[in-house]
Amino acid sequence: MGYQTTLAKINAIFSDLSKDYVIYAPKRFVGDGTFTNIDTIRYGEITDLSEIEFAEKSNYSFKEVLLPISETLFYFTENEMKEADAPKKGAIVFLRSCDLHGLKRMDTIYLENGAVDTYYKRLRDKTKFILMGCENSFENCFCVSMGTQKSDDYDAYIKVDGNAVLVDSHWDLLDAALAGATEASVMPDSVTANNTVVTVPETVPQTLFDAPFWEDYGNRCIACGRCNFVCPTCTCFTMQDIFYTDNGKAGERRRVWASCHVDGYTDMAGGHAFRNDKGQRMRFKVMHKVNDYKRRFGTHMCIGCGRCDDVCPEYISFANCINKLNTLVNDSVKEEN
Amino acid sequence: MLDLNTKKIKKNAYRITKVRGETASRIRVPGGLLTAELLPLIQNIAETYGNGRIHLTTRQGFEIPGIKFTDMEAVNALLQPIIDKLDINQEIPGKGYTSAGTRNISACIGSNTCPFATYNTTNFAKKMEQEIFPNDLHFKVAFTGCANDCIKTRMQDFGIIGMTEPQYQKERCIGCQACVKACQKKSVDALSVENYRIVRNTEKCVGCGECVINCPTRAWTRSPETYYRLVLMGRTGKRNPRLAEDFLVWATEDAIIKIVKNTYDFVNHYIDREAPGGKEHIGYIIDRTGFEEYKKWAMEGVELDLRTIVKNPIYWGGIHYD
Ligand code: HEM
Ligand code: SF4
Ligand code: SF4
Ligand code: SF4
Ligand code: SF4
Ligand code: SF4
C-alpha cells in the first residue's frame, strides 16, 4: 500500500516502533574514517530519520546488524554452558536495493546451506527491512550488471523529500499506523545504468586458476581484508575462545568476522597455512564471488555494490578484475577452438 | 651614493647581501601553503627588480635576490597583494614586512593531503602567525602532522607534533592484528593482544594513528580532540647544535599558543641587550637562566588538559663546540 505522509508523522511512527525495534540505518560518523577529518558512513542506531545518510553510499554494509562483527555465542564454566541472550528487541534496517539482494545471499549461507545457524536466525526472524531508493548510481556501483538494481522484497520503501515522505508498505503494522494518510502510488527510485559495467564470465576453466594473471594481485594486495569487511555478501567468521583471566575455568566463545585475504584464514591445527600467496587469495575471493557460489546456489554472490572498489587502499578493482578475467576466459576459449 | 640604515632594512625582511648595492626580499608563507595565483606576482618581482631567480628558503618562503636597494619601495608596493592574500599582520600597509625576527611559521603538508597527519598543520601555523607576527625577536616555530616529523620540528625553538588519542571499540575488533603489526613495525610497539582484544600501552603510545589507519573495521578511530607534543629549543649553529626536547605531551592548542606568547615576555626580560646586534637566541637565554626560571614564565596562566604530561626538568644534549 502506498502513502504520502509527513516527516513528523513518520518520525512519530518510528518513535512508537522503537519500543519493540532498534532502528538501524547508514549514519555519518564524523571523523571516524581512516584518515584525519574523513568520515565513515556505517550502520548505527537512529531515533530520527534525519540521522540517516541518504545522499551517499555507506562505506560498510548493513550486515553487521545480522552478523555482528564480534558476537558472543555462549558462556561456559567447567561443566555447563549457557547461550548468550538474544537482543530483546527486533530490528528495523534501512538499506538499498543491492544490499537487499545481499540479504538473500546471507540467508542462503546461514539458513539454507545445511544446518540452520540459530544465532543468525534469531536476529533475522525479528528484523524488518526498509528500502532506500537510488536516484543516481554512486561511484563504482555495478548493480545493473549484477541485476540487483531493483527489489520489491521489502517490508517498506521510504523516500524522504523535505518534509514530505512517500511510503510503500508491505508491513501490516506500518499500514495500521499510516491509516488515514493520503494514499499514493509509490514506485521505489532505482537506477537503470551504472558507469561501471561488469561482464561476468559464464564459467571459468580450472586451467586459469594458476594463470600468471593472478600474480599481479599478489604483488599489489596487502592482505588487509577491507574488501571482505565492507562486503555485504562476505559471510565468513572465525571463533575465539576466551578464558576469563581471574578464573581460568570460565569463559565465552565468540565469533568474529574473518577474511580470506587476511593472514590466518587458512591456518589449520598444527600451524600449516595452505594459501599464503596473495594473488591466490584474490583468485579465491573472486572465484567465490562470481563462480563457485553460483555453481552451488544458482546466483552470483556479488551484488555489485562496489564497496570493495571504494575501499581498497591499493586501488585494486574487483570489478575490473572480473572484466579482465572475462577477456582471459574468452581468449582461452578461442585458443581451444 | 647609497646612504642606508641596514638595521631598518633587515627588519623590513631585506638582506644585506655580499653584492654591494644589492639586496634580497624574503616573502613569508605561513604554513607553507599558497594559492597558485600568487606565483605570477612573485615572478613579476623577480623579473622586474631582481635577477630573474627565486630561492626557496628552508622555512618555506621565497627569497628574491638581485634587487637594488633603491628599488625597495617599488618592491614593497608589489609585495602588498601577496601580504594581503596571505593575511600577514602588517603595521604599516604598503611598507612590506615590518619585522623579520620571528621567522616564517613553517608546516609540513599536513592533513590537507598527507594520510598520516593528525591535524591541519597549515591552519595551526596560520593561527600562530596571527598571534606572534610581527615581532623582532628571533623565534622559530614549526608544525608537523605526526611523529614522522617531516618538517623537522626538532630543529626549532618550538616544534609542534600532532597526536591523536586512539579510541578502541572492542565490539568492532576482529583480532586481525593489523594495528599491532603496524604499531610494531612502523611505530613504537605499544599494542599487545590479550584474550583476542587489543591493549594499548598508554605510556608508550606516541599518538601517531598508525593503528587507526590500518584497522579495517573502524575499531580504532581518532579522538575528537587533537593533541600535540611540544618540543623545545632545538637549534643549529656554531656553538651547540642540538635537537629539541619534549616539554609537553598530549597538550592542547590553547596551551601551546599561550606558552609561545609567554616566551616573548621571558625573552624581553632576560635578553642580553649587549649581545651583537642586540640579538640573543632563546635557547642560549634559557641555558643562562636555567630551565626552572624559563618554565615559570612559560607556564604563567597556562591551563593544561588533564591528559597533558609535563616533562620537568629538561636536559638538552647536542654537540658542544664552545
Ligand atoms: C584423511 C584424513 C583426514 C582428512 C581428509 C581431514 C580433513 C580435514 C578438513 C577438510 C578439515 C577442515 C579444515 C578447515 O576447515 O580448517 C580438517 C580439520 C581438522 N582435522 Fe582433519 N582430516 C583428516 C585426518 C585428521 C586426523 C587423523 C586428525 C587428528 C589426529 C585430524 C584433526 C583435525 C583437526 C584438529 C581439525 C581442525 C583444524 C582447525 O580447524 O584448525 N584430521 N580435517
Ligand atoms: S564483492 Fe565488492 S561489489 Fe561485490 S558485493 Fe562484495 S563489496 Fe559489493
Ligand atoms: S570472499 Fe572470502 S571472506 Fe568473503 S565469503 Fe568468500 S571466502 Fe568468505
Ligand atoms: S582491500 Fe585491496 S589490499 Fe586489502 S585485501 Fe582487499 S584487495 Fe587486498
Ligand atoms: S597511536 Fe601509534 S603509537 Fe599509539 S598505539 Fe596507535 S600505532 Fe601505536
Ligand atoms: S586492526 Fe582493528 S580489527 Fe584488527 S586487531 Fe586491530 S583493532 Fe582489531
Side-chain angles (χ1 to χ4, degrees):
Chain A
M1 194 80 186
Y3 308 91
Q4 172 157 11
T5 179
T6 64
L7 194 56
K9 172 80 182 159
I10 206 86
N11 271 329
I13 293 174
F14 276 101
S15 160
D16 230 27
L17 286 169
S18 69
K19 286 177 201 127
D20 300 314
Y21 295 91
V22 180
I23 305 157
Y24 294 98
K27 263 171 82 167
R28 181 175 293 273
F29 288 78
V30 174
D32 272 6
T34 303
F35 307 119
T36 297
N37 296 336
I38 301 288
D39 302 340
T40 293
I41 301 168
R42 62 169 176 84
Y43 276 72
E45 279 187 51
I46 60 152
T47 52
D48 190 297
L49 261 57
S50 64
E51 292 171 71
I52 302 178
E53 180 59 60
F54 279 106
E56 283 180 48
K57 191 201 298 184
S58 63
N59 305 115
Y60 291 80
S61 83
F62 73 100
K63 79 174 171 190
E64 60 191 74
V65 175
L66 296 180
L67 184 64
I69 298 174
S70 170
E71 181 178 26
T72 300
L73 304 183
F74 55 79
Y75 305 90
F76 54 83
T77 60
E78 282 134 295
N79 302 313
E80 283 168 60
M81 185 273 266
K82 183 197 173 295
E83 251 181 37
D85 295 331
K88 288 204 175 59
K89 289 184 185 181
I92 294 172
V93 176
F94 282 77
L95 77 184
R96 296 179 191 277
S97 171
C98 59
D99 279 357
L100 206 42
H101 285 268
L103 173 69
K104 286 191 200 149
R105 311 294 186 268
M106 285 176 71
D107 284 351
T108 306
I109 292 291
Y110 281 105
L111 303 176
E112 290 149 30
N113 180 31
V116 168
D117 185 292
T118 52
Y119 301 101
Y120 179 81
K121 188 172 191 307
R122 67 188 195 178
L123 295 176
R124 173 71 173 90
D125 283 347
K126 288 167 78 177
T127 306
K128 297 287 175 188
F129 296 91
I130 297 185
L131 181 68
M132 303 159 67
C134 296
E135 283 171 60
N136 298 299
S137 175
F138 300 100
E139 194 180 355
N140 292 328
C141 292
F142 56 98
C143 53
V144 176
S145 302
M146 302 313 289
T148 60
Q149 73 275 29
K150 278 188 177 176
S151 173
D152 50 18
D153 210 2
Y154 47 77
D155 294 298
Y157 165 72
I158 290 185
K159 177 182 171 137
V160 179
D161 189 1
N163 278 326
V165 175
L166 293 174
V167 183
D168 185 39
S169 167
H170 297 172
W171 185 14
D172 48 1
L173 218 61
L174 203 57
D175 284 315
L178 280 165
T182 317
E183 288 184 15
S185 133
V186 178
M187 280 283 289
D189 290 331
S190 64
V191 301
T192 51
N194 313 114
N195 284 335
T196 303
V197 177
V198 168
T199 313
V200 184
E202 212 36 62
T203 50
V204 180
Q206 198 84 19
T207 48
L208 287 184
F209 281 26
D210 289 320
F213 173 69
W214 302 108
E215 283 168 19
D216 176 45
Y217 296 103
N219 295 327
R220 293 164 65 196
C221 173
I222 58 167
C224 68
R226 283 172 169 81
C227 51
N228 297 125
F229 300 134
V230 299
C231 177
T233 66
C234 272
T235 46
C236 285
F237 60 81
T238 188
M239 291 296 187
Q240 299 178 337
D241 283 348
I242 287 95
F243 297 86
Y244 300 142
T245 43
D246 279 358
N247 176 355
K249 290 177 178 167
E252 66 182 72
R253 169 170 290 189
R254 58 186 178 228
R255 66 175 172 194
V256 298
W257 287 359
S259 149
C260 56
H261 271 281
V262 169
D263 288 353
Y265 185 85
T266 62
D267 286 3
M268 314 240 318
H272 177 68
F274 56 82
R275 199 165 44 242
N276 279 325
D277 180 71
K278 296 181 182 68
Q280 284 301 306
R281 292 182 191 174
M282 181 73 178
R283 189 266 304 155
F284 178 80
K285 174 188 73 181
V286 172
M287 289 295 96
H288 193 196
K289 292 294 177 196
V290 296
N291 192 65
D292 308 345
Y293 184 95
K294 187 174 181 193
R295 283 193 190 181
R296 188 156 173 165
F297 302 113
T299 54
H300 287 304
M301 187 182 207
C302 171
I303 48 85
C305 69
R307 288 188 181 95
C308 50
D309 281 16
D310 297 337
V311 79
C312 177
E314 299 304 312
Y315 286 85
I316 290 170
S317 167
F318 171 76
N320 198 36
C321 179
I322 305 175
N323 282 338
K324 287 198 287 191
L325 188 64
N326 187 51
T327 310
L328 208 64
V329 170
N330 287 342
D331 290 351
S332 74
V333 170
K334 270 186 221 135
E335 264 167 43
E336 272 168 34
N337 291 343
Chain B
M1 117 280 329
L2 284 171
D3 182 8
L4 305 167
N5 181 336
T6 59
K7 290 194 179 60
K8 277 193 180 159
I9 287 171
K10 286 191 228 168
K11 274 183 70 168
N12 204 193
Y14 287 95
R15 196 191 277 272
I16 307 302
T17 71
K18 57 181 279 196
V19 184
R20 192 90 193 152
E22 278 186 11
T23 179
S25 162
R26 267 197 321 283
I27 295 172
R28 53 197 297 128
V29 183
L33 188 72
L34 73 168
T35 44
E37 67 193 323
L38 294 183
L39 292 178
L41 307 187
I42 297 166
Q43 178 188 3
N44 181 34
I45 299 174
E47 286 175 351
T48 312
Y49 295 107
N51 58 19
R53 300 178 183 207
I54 295 168
H55 177 252
L56 301 176
T57 75
T58 37
R59 301 206 66 83
Q60 302 181 318
F62 297 93
E63 183 152 355
I64 307 173
I67 294 173
K68 300 257 172 318
F69 282 116
T70 45
D71 287 331
M72 284 190 302
E73 282 294 302
V75 170
N76 278 344
L78 293 184
L79 285 173
Q80 195 56 40
I82 302 171
I83 290 172
D84 290 340
K85 189 79 198 177
L86 290 174
D87 208 15
I88 309 289
N89 287 336
Q90 201 184 17
E91 274 153 3
I92 319 157
K95 295 289 177 197
Y97 303 94
T98 42
S99 286
T102 291
R103 300 296 199 249
N104 187 43
I105 317 287
S106 1
C108 75
I109 195 163
S111 68
N112 282 323
T113 306
C114 177
F116 304 117
T118 62
Y119 69 106
N120 190 319
T121 50
T122 303
N123 285 355
F124 198 172
K126 285 182 163 169
K127 189 165 181 183
M128 185 63 88
E129 167 92 7
Q130 288 294 321
E131 295 280 350
I132 63 177
F133 187 81
N135 197 300
D136 290 334
L137 294 176
H138 189 159
F139 274 48
K140 293 194 181 102
V141 186
F143 290 84
T144 208
C146 75
N148 286 345
D149 194 7
C150 295
I151 201 76
K152 288 151 186 57
T153 60
R154 296 273 173 189
M155 286 163 64
Q156 316 280 328
D157 300 319
F158 296 94
I160 292 100
I161 303 170
M163 301 174 86
T164 189
E165 187 189 39
Q167 310 286 306
Y168 183 55
Q169 252 178 290
K170 61 181 186 323
E171 53 293 341
R172 292 192 75 79
C173 176
I174 54 159
C176 69
Q177 298 195 31
C179 54
V180 180
K181 288 178 199 159
C183 189
Q184 187 181 63
K185 292 192 180 138
K186 298 174 78 182
S187 195
V188 296
D189 198 8
L191 298 178
S192 56
V193 184
E194 220 171 79
N195 256 343
Y196 296 98
R197 301 284 202 218
I198 308 302
V199 181
R200 183 172 65 102
N201 181 336
T202 51
E203 300 203 342
K204 258 185 139 183
C205 172
V206 294
C208 64
E210 281 290 349
C211 48
V212 179
I213 294 168
N214 285 284
C215 177
T217 59
R218 312 321 302 135
W220 284 117
T221 53
R222 288 161 205 280
S223 49
E225 308 80 17
T226 303
Y227 297 95
Y228 306 91
R229 181 184 299 267
L230 175 64
V231 300
L232 292 186
M233 304 305 140
R235 64 189 173 205
T236 54
K238 300 187 181 75
R239 270 148 59 179
N240 170 219
R242 65 189 191 190
L243 292 181
E245 290 288 334
D246 284 10
F247 179 34
L248 303 185
V249 190
W250 306 105
T252 59
E253 184 174 301
D254 291 347
I256 286 166
I257 291 173
K258 185 90 175 111
I259 287 171
V260 174
K261 290 177 83 170
N262 283 345
T263 304
Y264 281 89
D265 298 337
F266 167 81
V267 172
N268 267 322
H269 189 260
Y270 280 109
I271 194 166
D272 176 6
R273 308 272 165 200
E274 303 305 311
K279 287 195 257 181
E280 190 187 19
H281 195 267
I282 328 167
Y284 289 104
I285 303 176
I286 297 176
D287 292 349
R288 270 200 294 113
T289 64
F291 175 71
E292 271 312 307
E293 181 61 15
Y294 168 67
K295 194 187 150 197
K296 225 177 354 190
W297 286 75
M299 296 305 280
E300 178 68 34
V302 174
E303 280 175 38
L304 293 180
D305 188 89
L306 286 174
R307 281 178 183 71
T308 309
I309 298 163
V310 183
K311 302 279 185 175
N312 189 33
I314 300 180
Y315 298 110
W316 285 274
I319 314 169
H320 278 276
Y321 296 106
D322 46 353

